[in-house]
Structures are given as structure tokens and as C-alpha cells.
Amino acid sequence: MRRLLVGWRGDPRIWRRGIVLAVLALLLALVMLVHSHVPNAIGNLGSLTETFLPWLGLLIPVLLVLGLIRRSATALIAVVLPAVVWLNLFGGLLTDKTGGGGDLMVATHNVNADNPDPSATARDVASSGADLLALEELPASAVPVYEKALASTYRYHAVVGTVGLWSKYPMSGVKAVDIRLGWERAMRATVTTPKGPLAVYVAHMPSVRVKMEAGFTARQRDKSADALGEAIADETLKRVVLLGDLNGTMNDRALNAVTSQLRSTQGAAGSGFGFSWPAAFPMARIDQIMVKGVEPTSSWTLPRTNSDHLPVAARVKLDTSS
């Protein structure tokens, strides 16, 4: 560091050098600051930017080092702006907000339709101690395997299409939720907990793809998110939990119909970003636990299974009267 700073004093060019770096820093800050206005008209560029928005922060130390190498005071001052914007957006996720207590532990996992060992995956997630467990991407041929592996832990369960819910408490009112796909990938059930009824939604939004010729293709996902948001808006119970693979992050505007109504347990009571996909090197949290009418007390990712997603879990307080 000392070597990089040698020769700065008395050099008037430190203000003239690094103009390009300063402009890049300002553009980076602008993208993060107005990300909601990046248009989706071309390749859903806005949603793609919002999906990986936290990772833009990696460009800040790069610009900082380049500014030091160029011995540019202008560039170094400019880098402060994207740093401040990034901290304003994500600084709260850097602190540990996990707490103790909670009436109920919930978990969700996209188990991967091509999972080579469904039984082992089922045992792994059941060992977490979750009272409610949602599974997504269940192929019909593997459902009996999951049912058998989870039977000793969960007395109640229901499978609708390719999603399922396993519960230690009685379930009723199980029904499919129409997310405008033409087949069933979402469900709703009432779980009778010791603290009263809880509406539980399990959903698996359509997949998105990044294609060279089409950009970030997410039209069907966006339609399904709107439909899920409408179903949640019509919910009559005050306490709601949504578990599932939404194929989108909390920053993605396409999920506004859902995220505007519910809180992320990771954002409210987690530690860090809680990235869940891909399991080998998690880069985004697309597996979500979201709540309304209950209080998150902790949220975290579970150890890797044979799936390409990490399971995620949370503890929530159902009795919020005190």
C-alpha cells in the first residue's frame, strides 16, 4: 500500500488521471441506484440485473485497486459513491439478525427431478427438525420414495402435482393453486398448529433461462408470480407462510405481486445473503421462505444434498400478541 501511495504528494496529475475509472464508478453507482428502472423490454435485462445485483459490489474493490495503481485521487473519490449505494442496499444483510425462540420451524427444498438418491435427500432434510417441510420438483415416480422416507417423521402430508408439504401437525383444505401453467406446481393447505391455523403455500415458479439470442427469458415465471400473488391476496387467514423455489430473488421486480405482501425470513432474521442456487457455488437466493402475520426469528441454509439447490429453513413466532 505504501508503494502505491509514493509520489502522490505534490503531483497535480492525481486529479487528471483516472477519469475513465471515475466514470465507470459513477455508472456502477447509477445502475445499482436505479436498478428498478433498468428496462425489461429487451431480454428482461432489468430482472437479470436484479437477480445478481449484490454481485455488482465485487466491481468496487476492482475499481479501488485500479485507482490506486493509476494514482488517481479522482477515481478513488468516485469509488466512494458505489460503495455507499451498495452498503445502503445490502449492508443490512451483512449483520447477523438471527435470534432465539420461535414456535415453528419450516423448511423448503427443490429436490431436483433427476436426484440420484431421493431417499437420502429426504432423510437429510428431515433431520433438520423442521415441523413443516415443503418439497418441489417431485417427479411422480419418486413420490412414493419420499413418502416412505419421511413417514416416520411427518404424520401428515399432501402432494399436488410436483410440489408437496409434509407436516407434524394436522392439515386440511389442501388444494392446488392455479399459477397459469396448465399443470400443477403450487398448492395451499391449512396447518393446525398448537398456536392456531396457518395458511401454507408451496410453489415452484417456472424456470428462467439466460440465452444469447433472447436474453433473460422469464415471461412464464412472471405470469405465474402474478397469479400466486393474487391467490395470496385472496387468503382469508391472517397468518401465511410461503415456501418454495420462486426462481427469482427478492430484488426481482417480476415477483412484486408476491414480495409486496410478504416478508423474507432471510432478510428479516437471517445472517448474510443466504444464497441457495446453484448448490455447488451459490450465487442467488431463489429458494424463499416468506411470511405474513408471523414473526421470523431466524433463517438459514441447510447442508447440501444431492440436489442442485440448497435447502433453506427458518424459525417463526406464531404468537405475535406479546
Side-chain angles (χ1 to χ4, degrees):
M1 178 64 72
R2 180 174 295 179
R3 287 183 180 180
L4 291 174
L5 296 177
V6 170
W8 286 57
R9 182 176 298 178
D11 183 359
R13 292 177 299 172
I14 63 175
W15 299 105
R16 297 196 294 269
R17 286 191 296 258
I19 299 300
V20 173
L21 290 175
V23 171
L24 291 175
L26 294 177
L27 287 175
L28 176 60
L30 183 64
V31 170
M32 291 190 291
L33 193 62
V34 299
H35 63 85
S36 61
H37 297 289
V38 177
N40 259 340
I42 302 175
N44 279 299
L45 182 60
S47 285
L48 178 59
T49 301
E50 289 166 337
T51 297
F52 299 104
L53 193 61
W55 292 95
L56 292 182
L58 292 179
L59 296 176
I60 297 172
V62 173
L63 291 172
L64 177 63
V65 171
L66 291 176
L68 289 170
I69 293 173
R70 287 286 290 144
R71 292 193 296 176
S72 169
T74 301
L76 294 180
I77 292 173
V79 169
V80 172
L81 185 57
V84 170
V85 173
W86 191 92
L87 287 172
N88 183 60
L89 290 171
F90 304 111
L93 293 174
L94 300 180
T95 60
D96 187 350
K97 299 180 291 296
T98 58
D103 307 311
L104 191 76
M105 178 178 170
V106 299
T108 181
H109 189 27
N110 179 325
V111 295
N112 188 353
D114 298 321
N115 193 310
D117 193 348
S119 184
T121 295
R123 291 193 300 269
D124 288 344
V125 289
S127 67
S128 68
D131 300 300
L132 299 179
L133 173 63
L135 300 181
E136 303 85 47
E137 209 167 290
L138 292 170
S141 59
V143 168
V145 179
Y146 285 104
E147 289 176 328
K148 181 179 180 180
L150 295 172
S152 61
T153 305
Y154 299 98
R155 183 176 178 182
Y156 309 94
H157 85 279
V159 175
V160 176
T162 59
V163 299
L165 178 64
W166 276 258
S167 172
K168 294 180 179 179
Y169 304 116
M171 297 166 51
S172 61
V174 176
K175 65 178 182 180
V177 175
D178 182 9
I179 56 172
R180 300 171 190 161
L181 271 176
W183 67 95
E184 296 173 334
R185 282 175 54 153
M187 63 177 286
R188 179 224 178 264
T190 298
V191 176
T192 305
T193 75
K195 300 290 184 177
L198 175 71
V200 181
Y201 287 78
V202 182
H204 183 194
M205 294 292 101
S207 298
V208 298
R209 297 288 185 270
V210 180
K211 301 179 180 179
M212 292 299 294
E213 71 279 7
F216 192 62
T217 57
R219 183 175 300 176
Q220 186 58 64
R221 189 277 312 268
D222 299 351
K223 290 181 179 179
S224 292
D226 290 342
L228 179 61
E230 292 173 9
I232 293 172
D234 291 337
E235 176 57 53
T236 57
L237 292 180
K238 293 182 179 180
R239 297 187 293 191
V240 179
V241 171
L242 168 62
L243 307 165
D245 174 5
L246 302 190
N247 269 307
T249 67
M250 293 296 293
N251 295 312
D252 192 338
R253 76 194 70 170
L255 300 184
N256 280 350
V258 176
T259 57
S260 62
Q261 302 183 68
L262 306 170
R263 301 172 67 193
S264 163
T265 58
Q266 183 66 26
S271 176
F273 291 91
F275 294 145
S276 63
W277 178 89
F281 187 82
M283 297 183 65
R285 186 180 178 88
I286 62 175
D287 301 277
Q288 305 289 354
I289 299 176
M290 303 177 67
V291 299
K292 178 172 68 173
V294 305
E295 185 65 28
T297 60
S298 56
S299 187
W300 66 98
T301 56
L302 294 170
R304 186 178 179 182
T305 70
N306 290 308
S307 173
D308 56 340
H309 292 242
L310 292 179
V312 298
R315 292 194 65 85
V316 298
K317 184 178 180 182
L318 298 177
D319 184 1
T320 59
S321 58
S322 58

